[in-house]
């Protein structure tokens, strides 16, 4: 393909320049890239209007971030594709979640910042506000292989329209994979990637969920409106994104936590809720948060490249006013027998204000699945604090520790398989234990998990190796009257991406957010401020 035209000129051909309205055809569109996309499908695909001079496509990869082609923002492709980091030179508007640009719904948001990749024709584009009504596309966690099929979408030219209003899509096959690129061939006659599709996504359909693998770069454009009639090539070259997830995460992580008022975080628990778990690695835990308005979010853990940015994306999994406003206590729970596959996710155990105790055995960025009622009685209204961890020899499922209103504590072993039938009382009723303000469980050194308790007087204690035999020792993390009296929510988890020990996330009364890395029996020393 490149032997017919210089690469720079070919790239330029993919960019749809603005034209006067009088030049637009009134003939109904028959999209070259396939049939017109059904309403609501592939809503993460975005259209970019660059000051009316140029149109491109893009993909929503996080509530506040798009990924597209850097060449969309280049002044002169025949000279240089360099795009400076910062605000776009020309006013750029993104339309997201609207199959037909002339319709209603979705979001129309300005692009306020560009972050180009140094080696590829890629750019991350930050939006002026988060888009919460469209699910971002996920990055594929798997290695691509030649012969796989992908779907491409975009708002580029069709066979008979110069600047169409409607998204179109088609299926392509991966012919070959290169260093940062992949070559595609359409699987149906007439399909092609056309001008204006530049920056649009190529993705895999995995059980009805979509995983991004490439961004449109160059194409033969055979059959596209306005192309040379002698041009017959319909193959396309994509910029690969399956191998640059770390760069994307480092970019999106800068804005994920700061856009929230963390004083409104009522509950937070850690877990492997997204499909980023890899056997033999130490991934950052994801964070599930319930907000004061009843909405809920999952913050995805990122690659362990920067301690101060442990979360790379936010997925809204419950809207305002949802049933999560009725949750009185929540803990993350591992309830599966198989943690060896990349599809493993953790669950949640919830004590509701009705006295019901239930477990969601599967939780991910798409929502909550397989709820199982463990108990339903007025007595469970007295379960003031709950936490789950590996406190027994069973390494596959967690045990539930309960601190009751009378100051007694219990452990329910092997919760995932046996519900809450197997109870071991750890301590009898104790007025002193009614002063416990927060309770969390984690791998703070030792073979079995430890408990951390923050008391109302500001002190905090670590109880190593709690098991069915009870509490064996105590390590004081903070003395009475310490600043920890302002700690409102404690969450244990691996947030810094190493194996050296458990970390402790703290949400403070003023809305600041920080964590203590590698907490163990020697104390909580290394504090890293995330928000505030």
């Amino acid at each position: 393909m490149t032997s017919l035209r210089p690469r720079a000129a070919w790239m330029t051909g993919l960019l749809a320049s603005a034209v006067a309205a009088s030049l637009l055809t009134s003939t109904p569109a028959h999209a070259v890239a396939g049939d017109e996309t059904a309403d609501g499908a592939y809503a993460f695909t975005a259209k970019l209007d660059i000051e009316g001079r140029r149109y491109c496509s893009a993909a929503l990869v996080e509530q506040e971030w798009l990924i597209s082609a850097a060449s969309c923002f280049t002044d002169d492709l025949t000279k240089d594709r360099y795009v400076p980091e910062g605000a776009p030179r020309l006013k750029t508007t993104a339309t997201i979640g609207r199959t037909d640009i002339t319709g209603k719904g979705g979001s129309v948001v300005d692009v306020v910042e560009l972050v180009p990749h140094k080696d590829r024709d890629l750019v991350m584009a930050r939006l002026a506000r988060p888009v919460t009504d469209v699910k971002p596309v996920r990055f594929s966690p798997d290695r691509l292989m030649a012969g796989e099929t992908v779907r491409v979408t975009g708002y580029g030219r069709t066979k008979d329209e110069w600047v169409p209003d409607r998204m179109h899509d088609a299926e392509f096959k991966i012919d070959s994979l290169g260093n940062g690129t992949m070559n595609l061939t359409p699987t149906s006659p007439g399909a092609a990637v056309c001008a204006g599709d530049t920056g649009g996504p190529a993705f895999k359909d995995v059980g009805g969920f979509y995983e991004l693998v490439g961004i449109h770069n160059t194409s033969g454009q055979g059959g596209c409106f306005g192309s040379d009639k002698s041009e017959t090539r319909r193959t396309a070259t994509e910029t690969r994104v399956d191998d640059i997830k770390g760069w994307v995460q480092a970019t999106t992580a800068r804005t994920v936590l700061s856009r929230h008022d963390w004083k409104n975080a009522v509950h937070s628990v850690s877990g492997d809720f997204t499909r980023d778990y890899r056997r033999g690695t130490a991934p950052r835990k994801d964070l599930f948060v319930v907000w004061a308005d009843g909405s809920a979010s999952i913050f995805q853990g990122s690659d362990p490249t920067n301690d101060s940015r442990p979360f790379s994306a936010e997925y809204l999994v419950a809207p305002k006013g949802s049933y999560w406003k009725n949750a009185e206590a929540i803990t993350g729970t591992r309830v599966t027998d198989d943690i060896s596959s990349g599809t493993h996710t953790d669950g949640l155990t919830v004590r509701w204000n009705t006295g019901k105790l239930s477990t969601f055995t599967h939780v991910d960025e798409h929502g909550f699945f397989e709820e199982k009622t463990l108990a339903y009685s007025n007595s469970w209204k007295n379960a003031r604090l709950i936490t789950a961890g590996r406190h027994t020899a069973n390494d596959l499922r967690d045990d539930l520790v309960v601190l009751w209103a009378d100051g007694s504590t219990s452990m329910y072993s092997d919760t995932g398989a046996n519900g809450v039938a197997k109870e071991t009382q750890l301590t009898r009723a104790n007025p002193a234990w009614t002063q416990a303000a927060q309770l969390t469980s984690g791998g703070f050194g030792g073979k079995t998990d430890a408990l951390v308790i923050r008391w109302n007087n500001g002190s905090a204690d670590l109880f190593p190796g709690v098991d069915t035999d009870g509490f064996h020792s105590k390590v004081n993390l903070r003395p009475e009257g310490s600043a920890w009296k302002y700690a409102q929510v404690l969450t244990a988890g691996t947030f810094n991406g190493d194996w050296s020990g458990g970390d402790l996330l703290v949400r403070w009364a003023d809305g600041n957010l920080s964590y203590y890395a590698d907490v163990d029996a020697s104390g909580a020393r290394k504090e890293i401020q995330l928000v505030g």
Side-chain angles (χ1 to χ4, degrees):
M1 290 187 289
T2 54
S3 62
L4 298 181
R5 277 190 256 176
R7 176 177 170 82
W10 188 17
M11 237 186 237
T12 305
L14 266 176
L15 302 176
S17 300
V19 296
S22 60
L23 296 180
L24 297 178
T25 177
S26 60
T27 305
H30 299 285
V32 173
D35 294 333
E36 291 184 344
T37 301
D39 288 339
Y42 318 129
F44 50 81
T45 307
K47 181 173 183 176
L48 297 178
D49 181 344
I50 304 174
E51 208 170 74
R53 302 185 185 185
R54 184 181 291 173
Y55 298 102
C56 280
S57 301
L60 185 73
V61 294
E62 205 276 327
Q63 289 184 11
E64 208 170 356
W65 290 90
L66 301 171
I67 190 169
S68 187
S71 51
C72 291
F73 300 91
T74 303
D75 291 336
D76 187 349
L77 273 175
T78 63
K79 295 180 180 179
D80 193 359
R81 75 176 191 185
Y82 172 73
V83 176
E85 185 167 343
R89 188 179 67 83
L90 301 176
K91 178 179 173 58
T92 302
T93 303
T95 302
I96 308 140
R98 189 179 295 176
T99 311
D100 189 329
I101 296 298
T102 63
K104 298 181 179 179
S107 299
V108 180
V109 190
D110 287 342
V111 171
V112 296
E113 181 185 4
L114 300 176
V115 181
H117 193 280
K118 65 179 181 178
D119 297 320
R120 299 187 189 182
D121 186 16
L122 292 173
V123 67
M124 295 290 291
R126 184 167 66 88
L127 301 171
R129 58 178 174 80
V131 173
T132 58
D133 56 351
V134 174
K135 285 186 180 297
V137 64
R138 284 287 307 271
F139 280 81
S140 176
D142 304 315
R143 184 180 296 274
L144 289 176
M145 298 180 63
E148 289 188 275
T149 58
V150 298
R151 185 157 295 277
V152 303
T153 54
Y155 290 90
R157 300 177 191 178
T158 67
K159 180 172 62 176
D160 39 31
E161 278 193 316
W162 190 279
V163 186
D165 292 320
R166 194 171 183 88
M167 186 198 310
H168 47 278
D169 65 271
E171 187 179 80
F172 280 66
K173 182 184 73 172
I174 301 176
D175 276 341
S176 60
L177 297 165
N179 183 17
T181 63
M182 60 181 174
N183 296 315
L184 305 181
T185 298
T187 60
S188 57
V193 176
C194 297
D197 290 326
T198 303
F203 51 92
K204 297 193 298 184
D205 184 335
V206 182
F209 301 116
Y210 305 116
E211 296 179 348
L212 185 69
V213 297
I215 292 296
H216 309 331
N217 189 307
T218 58
S219 170
Q221 300 186 72
C224 298
F225 186 85
S227 64
D228 191 326
K229 293 188 181 299
S230 65
E231 178 61 79
T232 60
R233 299 170 303 169
R234 298 179 185 271
T235 51
T237 298
E238 301 282 302
T239 303
R240 289 178 63 174
V241 298
D242 60 300
D243 57 345
I244 50 90
K245 185 175 65 173
W247 170 71
V248 173
Q249 290 183 331
T251 302
T252 59
R254 296 184 301 154
T255 61
V256 167
L257 295 180
S258 60
R259 62 175 172 245
H260 280 283
D261 183 352
W262 282 85
K263 287 185 289 188
N264 296 318
V266 180
H267 306 284
S268 69
V269 297
S270 68
D272 294 315
F273 301 120
T274 62
R275 296 198 304 123
D276 274 354
Y277 180 85
R278 283 295 176 271
R279 196 73 164 172
T281 64
R284 295 185 192 270
K285 291 288 188 179
D286 306 315
L287 188 69
F288 173 76
V289 178
V290 175
W291 305 96
D293 62 6
S295 62
S297 302
I298 287 178
F299 293 88
Q300 182 179 356
S302 65
D303 286 341
T305 55
N306 190 325
D307 278 352
S308 64
R309 295 173 185 168
F311 304 107
S312 62
E314 179 187 3
Y315 300 96
L316 185 67
V317 291
K320 295 179 181 179
S322 77
Y323 57 83
W324 284 98
K325 65 181 183 295
N326 300 319
E328 294 287 343
I330 306 175
T331 183
T333 311
R334 187 162 64 174
V335 292
T336 181
D337 287 341
D338 180 14
I339 63 171
S340 61
S341 69
T343 58
H344 162 74
T345 62
D346 280 347
L348 296 171
T349 296
V350 186
R351 200 273 286 174
W352 306 92
N353 58 9
T354 59
K356 182 173 81 167
L357 183 77
S358 63
T359 290
F360 295 90
T361 60
H362 184 97
V363 178
D364 62 22
E365 68 274 21
H366 304 293
F368 315 93
F369 308 93
E370 302 171 3
E371 182 181 9
K372 175 183 177 182
T373 298
L374 304 180
Y376 206 151
S377 67
N378 285 330
S379 63
W380 275 91
K381 292 181 180 179
N382 297 316
R384 198 163 61 83
L385 301 173
I386 64 173
T387 189
R390 283 176 286 176
H391 295 286
T392 62
N394 190 335
D395 192 44
L396 297 177
R397 306 181 195 90
D398 282 344
D399 313 299
L400 187 69
V401 177
V402 180
L403 195 156
W404 301 92
D406 63 0
S408 62
T409 59
S410 299
M411 181 181 295
Y412 295 87
S413 303
D414 201 13
T415 302
N418 301 317
V420 290
K422 190 177 180 181
E423 179 186 9
T424 300
Q425 187 171 22
L426 303 181
T427 61
R428 297 183 180 276
N430 185 339
W433 282 66
T434 64
Q435 298 303 306
Q438 276 100 40
L439 173 70
T440 191
S441 174
F444 303 109
K447 294 182 178 180
T448 57
D449 281 354
L451 293 178
V452 173
I453 297 178
R454 198 276 290 176
W455 307 91
N456 285 330
N457 63 10
S459 64
D461 293 317
L462 171 71
F463 296 88
V466 176
D467 55 25
T468 52
D469 291 327
F471 297 83
H472 304 288
S473 60
K474 180 176 72 172
V475 176
N476 183 248
L477 300 179
R478 290 295 183 274
E480 181 177 344
S482 79
W484 278 44
K485 63 185 176 183
Y486 301 113
Q488 298 297 298
V489 181
L490 299 183
T491 308
T494 303
F495 300 117
N496 66 348
D498 63 30
W499 292 110
S500 58
D503 308 317
L504 196 60
L505 189 72
V506 182
R507 195 274 282 173
W508 303 96
D510 60 4
N512 288 344
L513 191 69
S514 61
Y515 78 89
Y516 293 83
D518 306 333
V519 177
D520 56 24
S522 62
R525 302 172 304 281
K526 184 182 177 183
E527 181 184 8
I528 297 172
Q529 191 164 342
L530 303 178
V531 176

